[in-house]
Short mmCIF file of all heavy atoms in Angstrom, two decimals:
data_model
loop_
_atom_site.label_atom_id
_atom_site.label_comp_id
_atom_site.label_asym_id
_atom_site.label_seq_id
_atom_site.Cartn_x
_atom_site.Cartn_y
_atom_site.Cartn_z
N ALA V 101 8.66 -7.12 -19.43
CA ALA V 101 10.06 -6.84 -19.11
C ALA V 101 10.12 -6.26 -17.71
O ALA V 101 9.10 -5.86 -17.12
CB ALA V 101 10.67 -5.88 -20.12
N PHE V 102 11.33 -6.22 -17.15
CA PHE V 102 11.53 -5.55 -15.87
C PHE V 102 12.96 -5.04 -15.80
O PHE V 102 13.84 -5.48 -16.56
CB PHE V 102 11.24 -6.50 -14.69
CG PHE V 102 12.29 -7.55 -14.46
CD1 PHE V 102 13.34 -7.33 -13.57
CD2 PHE V 102 12.23 -8.76 -15.13
CE1 PHE V 102 14.32 -8.30 -13.36
CE2 PHE V 102 13.20 -9.74 -14.93
CZ PHE V 102 14.24 -9.50 -14.05
N ALA V 103 13.19 -4.11 -14.90
CA ALA V 103 14.53 -3.59 -14.64
C ALA V 103 14.70 -3.46 -13.14
O ALA V 103 13.89 -2.80 -12.48
CB ALA V 103 14.75 -2.25 -15.33
N LYS V 104 15.75 -4.08 -12.61
CA LYS V 104 16.04 -4.00 -11.18
C LYS V 104 17.19 -3.01 -11.00
O LYS V 104 18.35 -3.35 -11.14
CB LYS V 104 16.42 -5.38 -10.63
CG LYS V 104 16.56 -5.42 -9.13
CD LYS V 104 16.82 -6.85 -8.65
CE LYS V 104 16.88 -6.90 -7.13
NZ LYS V 104 17.13 -8.29 -6.65
N ASN V 105 16.82 -1.79 -10.68
CA ASN V 105 17.80 -0.72 -10.55
C ASN V 105 18.27 -0.51 -9.12
O ASN V 105 19.19 0.28 -8.88
CB ASN V 105 17.24 0.59 -11.11
CG ASN V 105 17.07 0.53 -12.62
OD1 ASN V 105 17.94 0.01 -13.33
ND2 ASN V 105 15.95 1.02 -13.13
N ASN V 106 17.64 -1.20 -8.16
CA ASN V 106 18.04 -1.14 -6.76
C ASN V 106 17.80 -2.50 -6.12
O ASN V 106 16.91 -3.24 -6.53
CB ASN V 106 17.25 -0.08 -5.99
CG ASN V 106 17.72 1.33 -6.29
OD1 ASN V 106 18.82 1.71 -5.92
ND2 ASN V 106 16.89 2.10 -6.98
N ASP V 107 18.57 -2.81 -5.11
CA ASP V 107 18.39 -4.03 -4.33
C ASP V 107 18.15 -3.62 -2.89
O ASP V 107 18.97 -2.89 -2.30
CB ASP V 107 19.62 -4.92 -4.44
CG ASP V 107 19.36 -6.34 -3.99
OD1 ASP V 107 18.22 -6.62 -3.55
OD2 ASP V 107 20.28 -7.17 -4.07
N SER V 108 17.03 -4.05 -2.30
CA SER V 108 16.66 -3.58 -0.97
C SER V 108 15.87 -4.65 -0.24
O SER V 108 15.28 -5.54 -0.86
CB SER V 108 15.82 -2.30 -1.09
OG SER V 108 15.38 -1.86 0.18
N ALA V 109 15.85 -4.54 1.10
CA ALA V 109 15.04 -5.44 1.91
C ALA V 109 13.56 -5.08 1.84
O ALA V 109 12.70 -5.89 2.19
CB ALA V 109 15.51 -5.42 3.35
N GLY V 110 13.25 -3.85 1.41
CA GLY V 110 11.87 -3.40 1.29
C GLY V 110 11.75 -2.33 0.23
O GLY V 110 12.70 -1.56 -0.01
N TYR V 111 10.59 -2.26 -0.42
CA TYR V 111 10.35 -1.32 -1.50
C TYR V 111 9.01 -0.61 -1.31
O TYR V 111 8.13 -1.09 -0.59
CB TYR V 111 10.31 -2.04 -2.86
CG TYR V 111 11.56 -2.76 -3.25
CD1 TYR V 111 11.76 -4.10 -2.91
CD2 TYR V 111 12.55 -2.12 -3.99
CE1 TYR V 111 12.90 -4.78 -3.29
CE2 TYR V 111 13.70 -2.79 -4.38
CZ TYR V 111 13.87 -4.12 -4.03
OH TYR V 111 15.01 -4.79 -4.41
N LYS V 112 8.86 0.51 -2.01
CA LYS V 112 7.56 1.13 -2.20
C LYS V 112 7.15 0.84 -3.64
O LYS V 112 7.75 1.35 -4.58
CB LYS V 112 7.61 2.64 -1.94
CG LYS V 112 7.80 2.99 -0.47
CD LYS V 112 7.72 4.49 -0.24
CE LYS V 112 7.83 4.83 1.24
NZ LYS V 112 7.75 6.30 1.49
N VAL V 113 6.14 0.00 -3.79
CA VAL V 113 5.67 -0.43 -5.11
C VAL V 113 4.47 0.42 -5.51
O VAL V 113 3.57 0.65 -4.71
CB VAL V 113 5.29 -1.92 -5.09
CG1 VAL V 113 4.87 -2.38 -6.47
CG2 VAL V 113 6.45 -2.77 -4.57
N ILE V 114 4.48 0.87 -6.75
CA ILE V 114 3.41 1.73 -7.27
C ILE V 114 2.85 1.14 -8.55
O ILE V 114 3.62 0.77 -9.45
CB ILE V 114 3.95 3.15 -7.59
CG1 ILE V 114 4.70 3.74 -6.39
CG2 ILE V 114 2.81 4.06 -8.04
CD1 ILE V 114 3.88 3.91 -5.14
N THR V 115 1.53 1.01 -8.65
CA THR V 115 0.92 0.61 -9.91
C THR V 115 0.55 1.86 -10.71
O THR V 115 -0.12 2.76 -10.22
CB THR V 115 -0.34 -0.25 -9.68
OG1 THR V 115 -1.27 0.47 -8.87
CG2 THR V 115 0.03 -1.55 -8.98
N ASP V 116 1.03 1.93 -11.93
CA ASP V 116 0.82 3.09 -12.81
C ASP V 116 0.67 2.54 -14.23
O ASP V 116 1.63 2.48 -14.99
CB ASP V 116 2.01 4.04 -12.68
CG ASP V 116 1.86 5.31 -13.50
OD1 ASP V 116 0.74 5.58 -14.00
OD2 ASP V 116 2.86 6.03 -13.66
N THR V 117 -0.55 2.14 -14.59
CA THR V 117 -0.80 1.32 -15.78
C THR V 117 -0.17 1.90 -17.05
O THR V 117 0.49 1.18 -17.81
CB THR V 117 -2.32 1.16 -16.01
OG1 THR V 117 -2.89 0.54 -14.86
CG2 THR V 117 -2.60 0.30 -17.22
N LYS V 118 -0.33 3.18 -17.29
CA LYS V 118 0.15 3.77 -18.55
C LYS V 118 1.50 4.45 -18.42
O LYS V 118 2.10 4.83 -19.43
CB LYS V 118 -0.90 4.76 -19.07
CG LYS V 118 -2.22 4.10 -19.43
CD LYS V 118 -3.21 5.12 -19.97
CE LYS V 118 -4.53 4.45 -20.36
NZ LYS V 118 -5.52 5.43 -20.88
N GLY V 119 1.98 4.62 -17.19
CA GLY V 119 3.27 5.27 -16.99
C GLY V 119 3.17 6.78 -17.13
O GLY V 119 3.54 7.35 -18.17
N THR V 120 2.66 7.44 -16.10
CA THR V 120 2.44 8.89 -16.17
C THR V 120 3.07 9.66 -15.01
O THR V 120 3.27 10.87 -15.11
CB THR V 120 0.93 9.21 -16.17
OG1 THR V 120 0.35 8.72 -14.95
CG2 THR V 120 0.24 8.55 -17.36
N LEU V 121 3.38 8.99 -13.90
CA LEU V 121 3.84 9.69 -12.70
C LEU V 121 5.27 10.19 -12.86
O LEU V 121 6.12 9.54 -13.49
CB LEU V 121 3.75 8.77 -11.48
CG LEU V 121 2.34 8.33 -11.07
CD1 LEU V 121 2.43 7.32 -9.94
CD2 LEU V 121 1.50 9.53 -10.65
N LEU V 122 5.54 11.33 -12.25
CA LEU V 122 6.88 11.92 -12.25
C LEU V 122 7.52 11.72 -10.89
O LEU V 122 6.86 11.76 -9.86
CB LEU V 122 6.80 13.41 -12.58
CG LEU V 122 6.20 13.78 -13.94
CD1 LEU V 122 6.17 15.30 -14.10
CD2 LEU V 122 6.99 13.15 -15.07
N TRP V 123 8.86 11.53 -10.90
CA TRP V 123 9.58 11.16 -9.69
C TRP V 123 10.85 11.96 -9.51
O TRP V 123 11.45 12.44 -10.49
CB TRP V 123 9.93 9.66 -9.73
CG TRP V 123 8.73 8.78 -9.81
CD1 TRP V 123 8.17 8.25 -10.94
CD2 TRP V 123 7.91 8.36 -8.72
NE1 TRP V 123 7.06 7.52 -10.63
CE2 TRP V 123 6.88 7.56 -9.28
CE3 TRP V 123 7.96 8.55 -7.35
CZ2 TRP V 123 5.89 6.96 -8.49
CZ3 TRP V 123 6.98 7.96 -6.56
CH2 TRP V 123 5.97 7.18 -7.13
#
Side-chain angles (χ1 to χ4, degrees):
F102 73 93
K104 188 176 183 179
N105 292 318
N106 284 291
D107 196 357
S108 176
Y111 299 91
K112 290 186 177 180
V113 182
I114 308 299
T115 57
D116 183 12
T117 301
K118 296 181 179 180
T120 61
L121 296 174
L122 299 179
W123 300 95

